[in-house]
Amino acid sequence: MKLTILGSGTSTGVPQLRCACDVCTSSDPRDKRLRTSALVEFKGKNILIDCGPDFRQQMLRLGSPALDALFVTHHHYDHLGGIDDLRPYCMDNPSGFPIFCREDVADIIHDRMSYCFGEKHYPGSPRLDLNVIDDKSFSPFAGIDITPLPVMHTPSLPITGFKIGPLCYITDCKIMPDKTLRLIEGCDTLVINALRHEAHPSHMNLADALDVITMTRPKRAILTHFAHQIGRYADVQPTLPANVTMAYDGLTIDI
Ligand SMILES: [Zn+2]
Ligand SMILES: [Zn+2]
Ligand SMILES: [Zn+2]
């Protein structure tokens, strides 16, 4: 399995518009963060996790690789604002490009992009094949079983992460249910969000993410979905435990 971090920034991206802080003006490419997304190459399939507003730029950086499916964690713009740019990928899929997401997310995609569906289908718009998942494992392809990882973005907003073979990928989590802690326990690689140092109402901060890592003991953990307040990569990375890495855009890991 190969994991590529396509974006590691929060909803504003880093640099944040109209900010001149040390992080936003850093010349280190690891401090330039597009919106959070990842590409997972597993058993011959390329799975995109989230398709935010920087999707097109992220694909161009990688030389426009083939994609076989999109898994969406939740409905926020920074995680699905780029779906219209899937159009060129739909040409390979006459029945529609496969998207796997919760029912609430599918309803929102359907509403926001009504021109892509049914009688209203606008010629040339993407053909999307929405597949609704719940908390049960699903098989998007023969021989590949995916386990959804239910987490809470806020106390009233359930969203999902994904367990794909040895990888557990969770973003935009604030509260991790016990059931999900058990599902990720002892995994090889855990990707988990860590917005900043200060507490936040809908995202784990660095201390929260490190607590989850201590509790679940993955071999390796990768932090993602950073705001500029996290600090510069070169200052923060040396403060982390040996098995914890800050994601940066373009980071690739063989798992
Ligand atoms: Zn987000
Ligand atoms: Zn800033
Ligand atoms: Zn969100």
Side-chain angles (χ1 to χ4, degrees):
M1 171 182 285
K2 184 176 168 190
L3 167 70
T4 302
I5 299 293
L6 302 176
S8 56
T10 189
S11 52
T12 55
V14 181
Q16 181 174 304
L17 292 174
R18 303 200 37 81
C19 184
C21 76
D22 280 358
V23 180
C24 290
T25 56
S26 166
S27 58
D28 186 338
R30 295 170 301 186
D31 292 324
K32 303 202 181 305
R33 304 184 183 282
L34 298 176
R35 267 61 71 91
T36 288
S37 174
L39 177 64
V40 180
E41 301 174 49
F42 185 49
K43 297 188 178 178
K45 299 292 182 187
N46 284 356
I47 297 166
L48 177 69
I49 306 181
D50 287 334
C51 184
D54 300 318
F55 166 71
R56 178 173 173 276
Q57 191 181 346
Q58 290 163 336
M59 287 297 101
L60 288 172
R61 279 183 177 179
L62 286 190
S64 214
L67 294 177
D68 297 294
L70 165 64
F71 296 177
V72 184
T73 58
H74 67 298
H75 69 283
H76 285 154
Y77 175 76
D78 55 322
H79 298 265
L80 51 63
I83 287 182
D84 194 274
D85 283 324
L86 283 170
R87 222 176 315 164
Y89 290 95
C90 300
M91 292 164 191
D92 308 335
N93 287 280
S95 54
F97 186 81
I99 299 178
F100 294 83
C101 59
R102 292 167 46 95
E103 187 167 24
D104 57 309
V105 177
D107 288 347
I108 285 168
I109 293 173
H110 207 278
D111 287 351
R112 281 191 203 160
M113 304 183 69
S114 57
Y115 59 92
C116 299
F117 299 98
E119 287 174 12
K120 290 186 189 161
H121 188 270
Y122 175 76
S125 62
R127 283 201 179 273
L128 306 173
D129 174 21
L130 290 175
N131 297 271
V132 170
I133 58 166
D134 52 23
D135 291 350
K136 291 192 276 297
S137 292
F138 63 99
S139 299
F141 309 106
I144 297 184
D145 292 327
I146 309 293
T147 304
L149 299 171
V151 297
M152 302 301 289
H153 201 339
T154 70
S156 58
L157 178 55
I159 65 170
T160 192
F162 299 97
K163 182 171 190 174
I164 306 171
L167 169 70
C168 291
Y169 186 99
I170 291 171
T171 190
D172 292 56
C173 170
K174 171 69 178 177
I175 304 156
M176 179 94 61
D178 288 346
K179 173 185 157 189
T180 301
L181 286 171
R182 286 194 293 276
L183 286 170
I184 66 179
E185 190 162 17
C187 70
D188 186 286
T189 300
L190 171 65
V191 177
I192 184 136
N193 57 296
L195 187 73
R196 61 186 191 190
H197 303 276
E198 300 258 301
H200 186 276
S202 59
H203 290 272
M204 290 198 270
N205 64 6
L206 179 59
D208 297 330
L210 292 176
D211 280 349
V212 168
I213 293 164
T214 303
M215 272 189 281
T216 59
R217 298 179 322 264
K219 276 199 200 119
R220 165 172 49 195
I222 298 163
L223 306 175
T224 195
H225 205 286
F226 294 118
H228 60 158
Q229 296 101 329
I230 193 68
R232 292 197 240 186
Y233 178 94
D235 296 330
V236 180
Q237 180 59 49
T239 69
L240 299 176
N243 66 333
V244 180
T245 306
M246 290 176 87
Y248 55 84
D249 296 14
L251 174 67
T252 62
I253 289 172
D254 289 310
I255 302 171

